[in-house]
Each structure stands twice: as C-alpha cells, then as structure tokens.
Amino acid sequence: MGNKYDANLIVIGAGSGGLVTAYIAATIKAKVILVEKGEMGGDCLNTGCIPSKSLIASAKFIHEISQSENYGIRRANCDFDFAEVMQRVHRVIDSIRPHDSVERFTALGVDVIMGQAEITSRHSVRVNGQELTARSIVIAAGAEPFVPPIEGMEHCGYYTSDTIWNLTELPDKMVILGGGPIGSELTQCFARFGSEVTLVERSDRIMVREDREFSDQLTRTFTDEGVTVRTGHDAQRVLIKDGRKFLQCEHNGKTVDVEFDTLLVALGRAARLEGYGLENLDIPISSRNSIEANEYLQAGYTNIYAVGDVTGPYQFTHFAAHQAWYACVNALFSPFRKFRVDYSVIPWCTYTDPELARVGLNEQDAKQQNIAYEVTRYELSELDRARTDGHAEGSIKVLTVPGKDKILGATIIGKHAGDLIAEFVLAMSHGLGLNKILGTIHAYPTWMEANKFAAGNWKKAHAPPWALNLLEKFHRWRRN
Ligand SMILES: Cc1cc2nc3c(=O)[nH]c(=O)nc-3n(C[C@H](O)[C@H](O)[C@H](O)COP(=O)(O)OP(=O)(O)OC[C@H]3O[C@@H](n4cnc5c(N)ncnc54)[C@H](O)[C@@H]3O)c2cc1C
C-alpha cells in the first residue's frame, strides 16, 4: 500500500530557518523535501550576514592601518581597489556555499527541489508543476528589504541590502537611510573605505532599541570617523537638481537637502507574504505584518509552521535556527509531543566597531516593562588585554535583580562584544548568577576576563557592611 503523504515535511525556503529545519528532520530520519526558488543559503549567505561581515573585515583592516601610530608604527599605507574588495566578499560567500549546497543537503538525506513552492492546501505544495504532499509544512520564506514609497526614489535609483553587493565602484557621496543595525554597520564600512557618508535617521538617535548611551557612543565614533549623522531627519523625496541627486528631508520643520550619488535604503526587512500561496489558506497575519505563529510555531493550522524572518519577532540567523528546532520537532511529533518556543534568552550583536551586543533586558526595556533592576558596569579601559590590543574603549552593563546576582540582561560595547556576550547567554540560559561567573577561572590576559571583572564589581557593591566591619575587627584582633 502506498503512503498517504510523499513526505513527513515540506520546507519552503532554504535560508537559515529552512536549512536547519530540513537538517534536523533528515538527521532524525524523517522524509523531508526542501524547496528553494532562489539561491541555497538565503539571505544570510548571499545578501546578509556573510557579505556584510566580509566587507566589514576589509574596512576594519583599512581602519587599523590608518591607526598605525596606536601600535608604535610611524606610518603604514594601504592601497586598494574597491572592486577587489568586493571580489573578496564574493570569494568568501563561495567558500561557505558548499555548506548550504544542494549536494550537502542531498547527502544528508534531504530531497532538495529548486523551484517556486506554492501551498495549494494544508497538506500539499505545488513545485515545478508537480503536486507534493506532506503531513506538515514549514514556511521559512524569509523577508525582503522594506522600501517605503518615497517620491522620486524609483526614478533616481537606490540600493538595498539585496543589491549593494553588486557595487564594484566605491560611492563618492553616499546616503544611508536608516540607523538600525544594517544601516549602522554599512555606514561605518563605506566611510572607512573613503566614501563621504551621511546617515539619515528619523528618530532622535541611531540604534534605538539599545540604551541611549550606546547609541551616543556609536554616533560619536561615526562622527570621529568622518560620517555625518543626521538624526531627526524624515526622508520626504528624492530630487534631481542640475543633474545632482538629493534626498530631501524634513528636520525640525525645515527642509534639508542631502546630496548623494549612491542611496542605500536600510529601513528594515518586511516578512515575505507573497509568492507561496498564502492566499490559498487561512493563515493569520500579525500586526507586524508577518505570519502569526503560536507558541508552538503553528501558523493557522496544526500542521503548518512558520520560522525565521517570515514570522519573527527577531530577524537573526541564530533566531531562525532556534525556531527551526521547535518547528521541526513539533511538526514531526505533534500531537504526541509538543514544545513551546522559549525566547527568554536571545542574544544579538551589531558588528560596528566597536561591536554592540546584547542579551536579555536593557535599561530602557526594564523601565518600559516596570521591572526592578540594579545596574553594574565595567569599563574596558580597565582591562589589561584591551590596553595591550590598543582598544581600551567600551563597557559592560549588566542588569540584575535587586539584591541578587540573577542576571536580567547584559549589553556590551567594545571589541569582541559579540563573543563576550556568550558567557552571559550561557549564564542566563542555565540560571547561573554573577557569583558563578566570578568564581570561574578566566585565562589571563583575555577579553573574556572583562565579564569576570563586571561580576566582581557587582560583588564589591554587594558586600554586606556588617560583615566587612566584623572582618576589620577580626584582623585588628589578629594583629595584637
Ligand atoms: C545586510 C544584512 C546583515 C545581516 N547580518 C546578520 C548578522 O550579522 N547576524 C544575524 O544573525 N543575522 C543577520 N542578518 C539577518 C539574517 O540574514 C536573517 O535573519 C536570516 O537569514 C533569516 O533566515 P530565514 O531562513 O528566515 O530567511 P531567508 O534567509 O531569507 O530564506 C528564505 C528563503 O526562502 C526562499 N523562498 C521564498 N519564497 C519561496 C517560495 N515560494 N518557494 C521556494 N523558496 C522560497 C527565498 O528564496 C530564500 O532563499 C542580516 C541581514 C542582512 C540583510
């Protein structure tokens, strides 16, 4: 007798969310079909994390050379061709590509089909004219750059994070619209290559999700590096005057024209809601305009799941991968076993220089949610390794439950912040407090020691005065 379904799972989209879903399903011996209409690896590999971090690496290298005196080196020059820098970006993508390839996933036991998937019913998907059926479907269709209808923009031309990687010539005058993580990373990057960059942001500061002090520190760094940061500027239209292009903004009731030859729109990413048959089903759309998934990641139907940028609430590769485990396991084992998603400890990092990383609550969130907290700080200027490396700037800010060492959240700004945050992620995930970080041996001299010293600052601030008084008396007595 034939099977009722062709597969246990059909996964739509081979980006971070879809690849991890398919990988887990195949590993635990389910029959899984993975459908991709574009390039394997999705946004992260082709137009997101990998190209951006590769470009940032080259920009950082140029910057370090310009800071040679910081290392006792009188003069260091560099000579580069932006086209070659971009070629390197694509070489890095190509070097990682095999990891996400059809060949690798086929070898892992996944049936990969290249083509556009369209859900036709709650158990069927049409691809390349063929109707495939599965007990469950996972939608991992991702997101695309959000481009608002700004008058004149289509006419003048603009880039997004989907297309900027095709540049082969360094822009002369660049406007980057949007001071979020993508806009901030690329602003600093292009400025370091030598473009004249203006960052335009509607809010009164960049990186609004982070505490103001960190936005301010990044703004100062950008300004020192020659970027013009225009906060409080609301983009209205794009104009051409005498053959020159301008982004016209409203600022404090006045009109400000910012000239550019290259415009990058980095205003966030909108969940992809078209092109895979949503209209054929009754899948709810959230107020954030993404697929609404419940605590099991089910989207409107008990056998249809959504993961990654298409549902959110966070849009990170590691978050998509985190959701993928839940969606995959729930899809394969429900109704016998179901797991609620756990978003209590989600880290992220913006790869500016200094990096800005966070896990859990920051001060503005704690205030907004009326959660009582205490703040402990540690300045990286006090860290030996930060001094030897010539990067003794930045800080760690930890929020704890008042009177306890329980960590509510941590924000780190500084070199390697994205790596340093991992210890707080581990601690929060496993209920370890600052005392446990303090009681852990950290190799000397490392950046990781900063976490221990932050924990030490908490300890010093919480040493009970009565105990210290008693100790003082004890030692005095011992001296007699
Ligand atoms: C510039 C930039 C930098 C970033 N940097 C970071 C970073 O440093 N760290 C981090 O964690 N995150 C970063 N991100 C975010 C990260 O890239 C995304 O969160 C992540 O890739 C989302 O994965 P996903 O699987 O949800 O979607 P995607 O990777 O977008 O995958 C969706 C896939 O679905 C396919 N698809 C869509 N419709 C269909 C259909 N009908 N049929 C078949 N296939 C379909 C698409 O072609 C695509 O390949 C960055 C993003 C950008 C743009």
Side-chain angles (χ1 to χ4, degrees), residues 13 16-17 36-37 43-44 49 53 117 140 142 275-276 308-309 315-317:
S16 315
E36 172 55 55
K37 70 168 181 167
D43 184 39
C44 182
C49 329
K53 268 78 258 179
Y276 50 92
D309 286 6
Q315 292 184 326
F316 303 115
T317 286

Side-chain angles (χ1 to χ4, degrees), residues 210-286:
E210 309 302 337
D211 285 344
R212 183 175 283 275
E213 66 199 76
F214 302 112
S215 303
D216 291 348
Q217 185 168 342
L218 281 185
T219 302
R220 277 196 302 275
T221 305
F222 289 0
T223 309
D224 288 349
E225 292 185 15
V227 173
T228 305
V229 180
R230 288 188 176 270
T231 51
H233 281 63
D234 195 359
Q236 301 287 316
R237 59 188 61 81
V238 174
L239 310 166
I240 302 184
K241 290 191 261 182
D242 302 328
R244 290 156 63 198
K245 297 179 190 173
F246 297 87
L247 178 69
Q248 190 165 81
C249 306
E250 196 192 294
H251 174 61
N252 290 339
K254 292 199 185 108
T255 298
V256 178
D257 290 346
V258 189
E259 190 176 357
F260 67 89
D261 56 53
T262 304
L263 173 65
L264 171 67
V265 180
L267 293 171
R269 296 176 54 79
R272 194 173 277 121
L273 300 177
E274 284 176 5
Y276 50 92
L278 267 193
E279 58 284 0
N280 301 329
L281 294 160
D282 213 4
I283 291 180
I285 303 301
S286 73

Side-chain angles (χ1 to χ4, degrees), residues 303-349:
N303 73 315
I304 298 185
Y305 295 78
V307 301
D309 286 6
V310 82
T311 180
Y314 300 102
Q315 292 184 326
F316 303 115
T317 286
H318 50 277
F319 184 70
H322 178 68
Q323 288 182 319
W325 184 88
Y326 288 93
C328 180
V329 171
N330 288 343
L332 294 175
F333 298 106
S334 173
F336 309 117
R337 192 79 173 90
K338 279 201 292 188
F339 295 88
R340 275 196 185 88
V341 279
D342 179 2
Y343 297 157
S344 53
V345 187
I346 307 291
W348 59 83
C349 181

Side-chain angles (χ1 to χ4, degrees), residues 118-397:
E118 187 193 349
I119 306 175
T120 46
S121 78
R122 61 178 291 181
H123 287 291
S124 61
V125 174
R126 191 183 303 129
V127 195
N128 301 333
Q130 194 190 354
E131 201 83 5
L132 301 164
T133 58
R135 176 175 280 281
S136 299
I137 296 170
V138 174
I139 303 172
E144 46 209 358
F146 171 66
V147 180
I150 293 177
E151 190 188 319
M153 204 163 70
E154 291 293 334
H155 181 60
C156 279
Y158 61 89
Y159 288 89
T160 66
S161 62
D162 275 359
T163 53
I164 195 78
W165 317 111
N166 302 329
L167 272 185
T168 49
E169 264 182 51
L170 185 65
D172 192 15
K173 275 192 172 56
M174 196 169 185
V175 165
I176 295 186
L177 186 53
I182 297 175
S184 296
E185 286 182 0
L186 292 177
T187 287
Q188 189 179 36
C189 216
F190 280 97
R192 285 181 165 189
F193 285 120
S195 297
E196 189 184 317
V197 183
T198 305
L199 176 60
V200 173
E201 164 61 52
R202 184 166 50 186
S203 309
D204 67 344
R205 62 190 177 99
I206 62 169
M207 297 294 295
V208 286
R209 273 187 228 144
E210 309 302 337
D211 285 344
R212 183 175 283 275
E213 66 199 76
F214 302 112
S215 303
D216 291 348
Q217 185 168 342
L218 281 185
T219 302
R220 277 196 302 275
T221 305
F222 289 0
T223 309
D224 288 349
E225 292 185 15
V227 173
T228 305
V229 180
R230 288 188 176 270
T231 51
H233 281 63
D234 195 359
Q236 301 287 316
R237 59 188 61 81
V238 174
L239 310 166
I240 302 184
K241 290 191 261 182
D242 302 328
R244 290 156 63 198
K245 297 179 190 173
F246 297 87
L247 178 69
Q248 190 165 81
C249 306
E250 196 192 294
H251 174 61
N252 290 339
K254 292 199 185 108
T255 298
V256 178
D257 290 346
V258 189
E259 190 176 357
F260 67 89
D261 56 53
T262 304
L263 173 65
L264 171 67
V265 180
L267 293 171
R269 296 176 54 79
R272 194 173 277 121
L273 300 177
E274 284 176 5
Y276 50 92
L278 267 193
E279 58 284 0
N280 301 329
L281 294 160
D282 213 4
I283 291 180
I285 303 301
S286 73
S287 53
R288 286 178 286 110
N289 222 19
S290 57
I291 290 187
E292 175 105 55
N294 67 11
E295 58 205 347
Y296 301 106
L297 293 176
Q298 290 161 322
Y301 299 80
T302 50
N303 73 315
I304 298 185
Y305 295 78
V307 301
D309 286 6
V310 82
T311 180
Y314 300 102
Q315 292 184 326
F316 303 115
T317 286
H318 50 277
F319 184 70
H322 178 68
Q323 288 182 319
W325 184 88
Y326 288 93
C328 180
V329 171
N330 288 343
L332 294 175
F333 298 106
S334 173
F336 309 117
R337 192 79 173 90
K338 279 201 292 188
F339 295 88
R340 275 196 185 88
V341 279
D342 179 2
Y343 297 157
S344 53
V345 187
I346 307 291
W348 59 83
C349 181
T350 302
Y351 298 88
T352 43
D353 186 9
E355 293 179 356
L356 178 52
R358 171 142 74 104
V359 58
L361 288 181
N362 64 2
E363 224 179 333
Q364 70 186 25
D365 288 353
K367 281 186 183 142
Q368 202 181 16
Q369 296 169 36
N370 258 326
I371 295 173
Y373 63 91
E374 278 177 6
V375 173
T376 301
R377 290 171 193 277
Y378 175 74
E379 297 299 325
L380 291 173
S381 56
E382 292 171 29
L383 185 72
D384 290 0
R385 183 59 186 272
R387 292 206 159 266
T388 61
D389 284 3
H391 286 289
E393 59 279 331
S395 59
I396 297 182
K397 180 177 178 184

